[in-house]
Amino acid sequence: MSNQPAQPRDAAAKPARERVVIIGSGFGGLFAARKLARTDVDVTIIAKTSHHLFQPLLYQVATGVLSQGEIAPATREILRRQKNAQVLLGDVTKIDVEAKTVTSQTPVGEAVTSYDTLVVAAGAGQSYFGNDHFSEFAPGMKSIDDALELRGRIFGAFEMAEVLEDPEEIQQWLTFVVVGAGPTGVEMAGQIAELAHSTLKKDFRRIDPTKARVLLLDAAPSVLPPFGAKLGKKAQTQLERMGVEVQLDVKVVNVDEDGLDVIDPDGSPRRIESRTKVWAAGVQASPLGKQLAEQTGAETDRAGRVMVEPDCTLPGHPEIFVIGDMMSLKRYPGVAQVAMQQGKYAGKTIANRLKGGAPLPEFEYFDKGSMATVSRFHAVAKINDKIQLSGFFAWLAWLGVHIVYLIGFKNRITTLMHWTVTFIGRGRSERAVTDQQVVARMALHREKLANEAERAEEEARNVAS
Amino acid sequence: MSNQPAQPRDAAAKPARERVVIIGSGFGGLFAARKLARTDVDVTIIAKTSHHLFQPLLYQVATGVLSQGEIAPATREILRRQKNAQVLLGDVTKIDVEAKTVTSQTPVGEAVTSYDTLVVAAGAGQSYFGNDHFSEFAPGMKSIDDALELRGRIFGAFEMAEVLEDPEEIQQWLTFVVVGAGPTGVEMAGQIAELAHSTLKKDFRRIDPTKARVLLLDAAPSVLPPFGAKLGKKAQTQLERMGVEVQLDVKVVNVDEDGLDVIDPDGSPRRIESRTKVWAAGVQASPLGKQLAEQTGAETDRAGRVMVEPDCTLPGHPEIFVIGDMMSLKRYPGVAQVAMQQGKYAGKTIANRLKGGAPLPEFEYFDKGSMATVSRFHAVAKINDKIQLSGFFAWLAWLGVHIVYLIGFKNRITTLMHWTVTFIGRGRSERAVTDQQVVARMALHREKLANEAERAEEEARNVAS
């Protein structure tokens, strides 16, 4: 099957227009598409999910504040009125730079889509630094699936603890470890601590959720390194005030079902018993980056990001833009803002070329600042080197910025309501997990116990004989 | 492990109190528990889900109007302030009427819980009338899992159609069949028609969602039989006005991946090609009903419901209440209202016995009426034989009643907002499906195509040789 331009079946004879193919429906892809709204091109977005994902709020889905729909509007709904854009569901496996085609796995098999201009915005996945087997025990925070899985694990851990008898086992289920003290890790640790120490406080009869331990580990010596030492320290203090145990300079060497093996700053190994682990430690650019590099001789960095030209194109290939978390340029950080601005820039450049205008100036990232919420009413915000906020006013700034960004992404009113429930009432509106998650977890644990019992019996038999 | 009364571990020496065990966290179980709030008993709810489910709105989760959290608040959150109640996650497999114990599968293995009084409110599941293999192709509408699965299938069907080329295959994906014209079936058919014919109208570029077919089948000769002929006819007319094809007196004899085989009213067989089927045709009481009957000699009806005494207890066992969808009494319907009222009645009876009061009068169901929404702004409502409404005022009544009931179940404001989005804006806030659903569906379909190609090749080879 080939997906030639965005023509309805009944209008095959339209004049050929510039075909812009965008890979990915994240911030970069979406903003590039929108910028092309009023231009004479055919835009095709190929993405493996049918939704855009407002990734910076994913931690709130994982911890029961928001529903998945609130941060994942359907891409086609966002682009409904943009008649020159079509969305195709497909997992892109190959880019052929010579033939100018993109191959994707769609529900009906391989589809080959030709492009005149290509915008590669396939983002980055979680990186386990070569230890991919960690992922089973410590899910990352990259997709709706991740968030719902973690929601099931976090709320499920308290349910498990409630039915157990052995104090050690109970503590194992009531210990939560977040690996990685960047914004996502800090936000997750803060949310889990709030859950345990206030939301769930009175929900159980046998366990005391306030006795849950929440650990935040990082191999680096500080929390939120990009925010600078001062704000990092403030965030750390606030986390510790909430009962989060911040352990820095600690290297994770293994993760298994029951816990983690770490190396302490003094080089000594230590075991942490914990049933629920969250991985927020590293990212790895989409493998499409490496593919592009191999075909064009472009360079990639350790995280698989493609080094791009100052105009966000691939060296020697002005028709290919690589933007967002997949590219490396002037040490710009892997944040939504960069992707959005590069998306807009790519769109603008494409439109400008069509008009035959003079080349646009190089891409310059305008850093509007970064922020991370630590707890309700408490955030850190770095606007620039001079303006740095922490505490309530930083939190208000966080709230304002997110409300503004969510406009245009629908659902802003329900999101506000869910936030009201959480921030004022300390409640969680979205605790529901599927039976599959609950039943599967129960069955798994029973099986494990049965296996252990069998092994113990066998050992006893061996000793006896 | 044994779950003896709801005592915290640090208070083992309290005086023994009446132990009330409730099986199920649906309307019956929850209302029974709440009625016992201010009594001197220990209440243990054993349920296999950690949430209560507002089942009458499940169809809105399946069709992207509401999030799962909005209709499935955590049971322990609802009962947070009721100190004499504890919630245990467990799937009850056995009731021993003689020993007065309940055995459940918990995450840590079998738990045996003793009771003085037992309230069995385990509800009913979908019935495929002996054809359980239908369930894979036509999920029921009984749990959050069902609703999210159907959401993935319904929205996914349009995505599939968008990438396909073959017109027949496209129509197969754009044909939706709902089996069963009771309230759930009517509401599902109405919602899918609204989705296709208005919400998604402008979301696609290659297919025309308004050409989707929505069929509502029933073996009975009328829509919404319990509402009477007049309202049933009105509902049918409204459905047909929305483009739903209502086919009555039609018997489903087989369901497979690509469609259904049915027998028409004149006895002739017919094939309906459809990729997305919903089963809303029948219910089967929890198997615990049969167990109780076998142990006590009580009778069960064809749907496995236990015939109970006029005070909702098991014959000869005044200490066992069987309530809601699991019981059969005076032809009361299997609706939320009956379960709620019986739950309250059971709670009141238990409290009254403790006080040593005179026996309460027999349970009498007070029918507040039934209602079903057909489309936005259009419902049918039967208050009693005299007062029957249809159209906008019935819809307003539906809205009012549901808002009132949702109070006490939290989330009412966000629910109202999501309804505003849907009823005023025709939008859907909760369209997000998991990658797993999308990717799994894509892979499955590719595999199927590959198998077909292989088979065709083999056949060609056989012909050639």
Side-chain angles (χ1 to χ4, degrees):
Chain A
M1 176 200 144
S2 89
N3 280 304
Q4 287 323 311
Q7 299 181 1
R9 287 189 188 72
D10 51 359
K14 279 191 185 167
R17 303 207 291 176
E18 166 96 1
R19 296 162 300 179
V20 178
V21 170
I22 299 173
I23 304 175
S25 60
F27 288 110
L30 200 58
F31 275 73
R34 284 174 134 191
K35 202 75 199 171
L36 291 164
R38 257 168 251 105
T39 60
D40 196 32
V41 301
D42 283 316
V43 178
T44 304
I45 293 191
I46 308 178
K48 61 182 172 190
T49 63
S50 54
H51 53 257
H52 168 69
L53 180 63
F54 199 91
Q55 207 270 341
L57 289 174
L58 200 56
Y59 75 97
Q60 297 201 357
V61 174
T63 53
V65 178
L66 299 178
S67 71
Q68 63 268 46
E70 286 173 302
I71 65 159
T75 312
R76 20 184 114 258
E77 196 182 358
I78 301 173
L79 296 173
R80 176 184 293 166
R81 288 198 187 81
Q82 187 172 335
K83 293 291 173 213
N84 72 345
Q86 75 171 334
V87 179
L88 279 185
L89 197 60
D91 188 5
V92 174
T93 50
K94 206 179 123 190
I95 300 171
D96 188 329
V97 173
E98 285 309 308
K100 292 191 168 186
T101 57
V102 166
T103 306
S104 54
Q105 298 295 319
T106 78
V108 288
E110 246 177 39
V112 178
T113 313
S114 295
Y115 64 81
D116 298 311
T117 302
L118 179 67
V119 180
V120 188
Q126 210 75 59
S127 166
Y128 291 87
F129 308 117
N131 299 296
D132 285 351
H133 60 286
F134 291 3
S135 67
E136 183 187 344
F137 311 112
M141 279 285 290
K142 283 288 170 193
S143 67
I144 287 293
D145 298 56
D146 289 339
L148 293 179
E149 173 63 25
L150 280 169
R151 183 195 284 178
R153 291 192 190 199
I154 292 167
F155 286 98
F158 292 96
E159 297 287 343
M160 290 291 280
E162 177 81 348
V163 291
L164 288 163
E165 295 289 335
D166 177 29
E168 265 178 50
E169 236 187 325
I170 291 172
Q171 195 54 56
Q172 212 180 43
W173 282 101
L174 289 182
T175 302
F176 300 85
V177 178
V178 179
V179 183
T184 300
V186 164
E187 284 166 333
M188 275 301 282
Q191 285 295 317
I192 298 173
E194 283 203 344
L195 257 189
H197 301 155
S198 83
T199 307
L200 299 181
K201 202 173 171 180
K202 294 181 175 162
D203 279 17
F204 293 84
R205 299 292 178 260
R206 310 174 93 231
I207 57 163
D208 178 0
T210 64
K211 291 198 177 130
R213 290 178 66 197
V214 183
L215 279 68
L216 178 64
L217 310 186
D218 205 301
S222 66
V223 162
L224 295 174
F227 286 70
K230 202 181 120 202
L231 285 183
K233 198 66 210 160
K234 290 226 169 173
Q236 183 176 345
T237 309
Q238 176 61 16
L239 283 168
E240 285 167 347
R241 208 171 282 158
M242 296 168 64
V244 175
E245 302 170 38
V246 181
Q247 303 184 349
L248 301 170
D249 270 327
V250 169
K251 203 169 170 282
V252 174
V253 289
N254 194 33
V255 184
D256 56 39
E257 203 189 331
D258 305 329
L260 310 90
D261 296 305
V262 301
I263 304 286
D264 269 335
D266 63 2
S268 58
R270 178 165 55 104
R271 171 79 182 167
I272 302 172
E273 298 285 327
S274 160
R275 281 291 180 153
T276 313
K277 285 84 66 179
V278 183
W279 194 265
V283 292
Q284 180 70 31
S286 155
L288 292 175
K290 206 154 249 169
Q291 248 191 55
L292 286 173
E294 276 163 14
Q295 287 180 51
T296 64
E299 280 177 72
T300 53
D301 68 8
R302 270 176 56 197
R305 287 180 289 240
V306 184
M307 315 278 195
V308 294
E309 298 287 334
D311 65 350
C312 305
T313 61
L314 211 54
H317 288 272
E319 79 283 10
I320 302 181
F321 293 82
V322 184
I323 62 175
D325 289 359
M326 276 190 68
M327 65 84 227
S328 173
L329 177 66
K330 296 184 192 168
R331 307 181 132 259
Y332 291 149
V335 296
Q337 274 300 324
V338 171
M340 288 178 190
Q341 292 179 25
Q342 288 187 326
K344 283 186 199 172
Y345 179 87
K348 224 157 66 179
T349 306
I350 296 166
N352 181 58
R353 286 180 191 164
L354 277 181
K355 284 189 298 190
L360 296 180
E362 294 179 355
F363 172 75
E364 273 297 333
Y365 170 48
F366 174 59
D367 187 353
K368 295 182 187 168
S370 345
M371 32 182 67
T373 32
V374 184
S375 60
R376 59 178 205 145
F377 307 151
H378 198 108
V380 291
K382 184 183 175 180
I383 314 301
N384 54 41
D385 285 339
K386 277 184 200 149
I387 310 180
Q388 302 194 352
L389 299 169
S390 68
F392 184 64
F393 287 101
W395 185 83
L396 275 187
W398 173 88
L399 190 68
V401 166
H402 281 82
I403 290 170
V404 170
Y405 279 127
L406 282 177
I407 295 175
F409 289 99
K410 297 227 171 191
N411 296 325
R412 55 196 177 279
I413 302 177
T414 57
T415 304
L416 276 183
M417 290 303 157
H418 281 153
W419 280 348
T420 309
V421 167
T422 299
F423 298 142
I424 310 295
R426 290 176 179 272
R428 303 286 160 131
S429 310
E430 297 286 340
R431 286 166 63 169
V433 301
T434 61
D435 296 352
Q436 196 194 3
Q437 289 178 309
V438 174
V439 173
R441 205 176 320 274
M442 286 185 355
L444 264 178
H445 196 68
R446 277 201 303 272
E447 197 179 302
K448 196 194 153 210
L449 292 179
N451 287 342
E452 281 174 5
E454 203 174 293
R455 226 177 302 132
E457 208 175 291
E458 204 168 297
E459 264 171 45
R461 237 180 291 133
N462 289 346
V463 170
S465 66
Chain B
M1 175 197 142
S2 89
N3 281 303
Q4 287 323 312
Q7 301 181 359
R9 286 190 189 72
D10 51 0
K14 279 191 185 168
R17 303 207 292 176
E18 166 96 359
R19 295 162 302 178
V20 179
V21 171
I22 298 173
I23 304 175
S25 60
F27 288 109
L30 201 58
F31 276 73
R34 285 174 135 191
K35 202 75 201 172
L36 291 165
R38 259 168 249 102
T39 59
D40 197 31
V41 300
D42 282 318
V43 178
T44 304
I45 294 192
I46 308 177
K48 61 182 172 190
T49 63
S50 53
H51 53 256
H52 167 70
L53 180 63
F54 199 91
Q55 207 271 340
L57 289 174
L58 200 55
Y59 75 97
Q60 297 202 356
V61 174
T63 53
V65 178
L66 299 179
S67 71
Q68 64 268 45
E70 286 172 303
I71 65 158
T75 313
R76 19 184 114 261
E77 196 182 358
I78 300 173
L79 296 174
R80 177 185 292 165
R81 288 198 187 81
Q82 187 172 334
K83 293 291 174 213
N84 72 345
Q86 75 172 334
V87 178
L88 280 185
L89 197 59
D91 188 3
V92 174
T93 48
K94 207 180 124 191
I95 299 171
D96 189 328
V97 174
E98 285 308 309
K100 292 190 167 187
T101 57
V102 166
T103 305
S104 54
Q105 297 296 320
T106 79
V108 288
E110 247 177 37
V112 178
T113 313
S114 296
Y115 63 82
D116 299 311
T117 303
L118 179 67
V119 180
V120 188
Q126 210 75 60
S127 166
Y128 291 86
F129 308 116
N131 298 297
D132 284 352
H133 59 286
F134 290 4
S135 68
E136 185 187 343
F137 311 112
M141 279 285 289
K142 284 288 169 192
S143 67
I144 287 293
D145 298 56
D146 289 340
L148 293 179
E149 173 63 26
L150 280 169
R151 183 195 285 179
R153 292 192 188 198
I154 292 167
F155 287 99
F158 292 95
E159 297 287 342
M160 291 291 281
E162 177 81 347
V163 291
L164 287 164
E165 295 289 335
D166 177 29
E168 266 178 49
E169 237 187 323
I170 291 172
Q171 195 54 56
Q172 211 180 44
W173 282 100
L174 289 182
T175 303
F176 300 85
V177 178
V178 179
V179 182
T184 300
V186 164
E187 285 167 332
M188 276 300 282
Q191 285 295 316
I192 298 173
E194 283 203 345
L195 258 188
H197 302 155
S198 85
T199 306
L200 299 181
K201 202 172 171 180
K202 295 180 175 164
D203 279 16
F204 293 84
R205 299 292 177 260
R206 310 174 92 232
I207 56 163
D208 179 358
T210 64
K211 291 198 177 129
R213 290 177 67 197
V214 183
L215 279 68
L216 178 63
L217 310 185
D218 206 302
S222 66
V223 162
L224 295 175
F227 286 70
K230 202 180 122 201
L231 285 184
K233 198 67 210 159
K234 292 226 169 174
Q236 183 177 346
T237 308
Q238 177 61 16
L239 283 168
E240 284 166 348
R241 208 172 282 159
M242 296 168 66
V244 175
E245 302 169 37
V246 181
Q247 302 183 350
L248 301 171
D249 270 326
V250 169
K251 202 168 171 285
V252 174
V253 289
N254 194 33
V255 183
D256 56 39
E257 203 188 330
D258 305 330
L260 308 91
D261 295 305
V262 300
I263 305 285
D264 269 336
D266 63 3
S268 57
R270 177 165 57 104
R271 172 79 182 168
I272 303 172
E273 298 286 325
S274 161
R275 281 292 180 152
T276 313
K277 284 84 65 180
V278 183
W279 193 264
V283 292
Q284 179 70 32
S286 155
L288 292 176
K290 206 156 248 170
Q291 249 191 55
L292 286 174
E294 276 163 15
Q295 288 179 50
T296 63
E299 280 176 71
T300 53
D301 68 7
R302 269 175 58 197
R305 286 182 289 241
V306 184
M307 314 278 194
V308 294
E309 298 286 333
D311 65 350
C312 304
T313 62
L314 210 54
H317 288 273
E319 80 283 10
I320 302 180
F321 293 82
V322 185
I323 62 175
D325 288 0
M326 276 190 68
M327 65 84 228
S328 173
L329 176 66
K330 296 184 193 169
R331 307 180 132 259
Y332 291 148
V335 296
Q337 275 299 325
V338 171
M340 288 178 190
Q341 292 178 24
Q342 289 188 325
K344 284 187 199 170
Y345 179 86
K348 225 157 65 179
T349 306
I350 295 167
N352 181 59
R353 285 181 192 164
L354 276 182
K355 284 189 298 190
L360 295 180
E362 294 179 356
F363 172 75
E364 274 295 334
Y365 171 47
F366 174 60
D367 188 354
K368 297 182 186 167
S370 346
M371 31 182 66
T373 32
V374 184
S375 62
R376 60 178 204 144
F377 306 151
H378 198 107
V380 290
K382 182 183 176 181
I383 314 302
N384 54 41
D385 285 339
K386 277 184 199 148
I387 311 180
Q388 303 194 354
L389 299 169
S390 69
F392 185 63
F393 286 101
W395 184 82
L396 276 187
W398 172 87
L399 191 67
V401 166
H402 281 82
I403 289 170
V404 169
Y405 280 126
L406 282 176
I407 296 175
F409 289 99
K410 298 226 170 191
N411 297 324
R412 54 197 178 276
I413 302 177
T414 56
T415 304
L416 276 183
M417 291 302 158
H418 281 152
W419 281 348
T420 309
V421 168
T422 299
F423 298 142
I424 309 294
R426 289 175 178 273
R428 303 285 159 130
S429 311
E430 296 287 339
R431 285 166 63 168
V433 301
T434 61
D435 295 353
Q436 196 194 2
Q437 290 178 308
V438 174
V439 173
R441 206 176 319 274
M442 287 184 359
L444 265 179
H445 197 69
R446 277 199 304 272
E447 197 179 301
K448 195 193 154 209
L449 293 178
N451 287 343
E452 281 174 3
E454 204 175 291
R455 226 176 302 132
E457 209 175 289
E458 204 168 298
E459 264 170 45
R461 235 179 295 134
N462 289 346
V463 171
S465 67

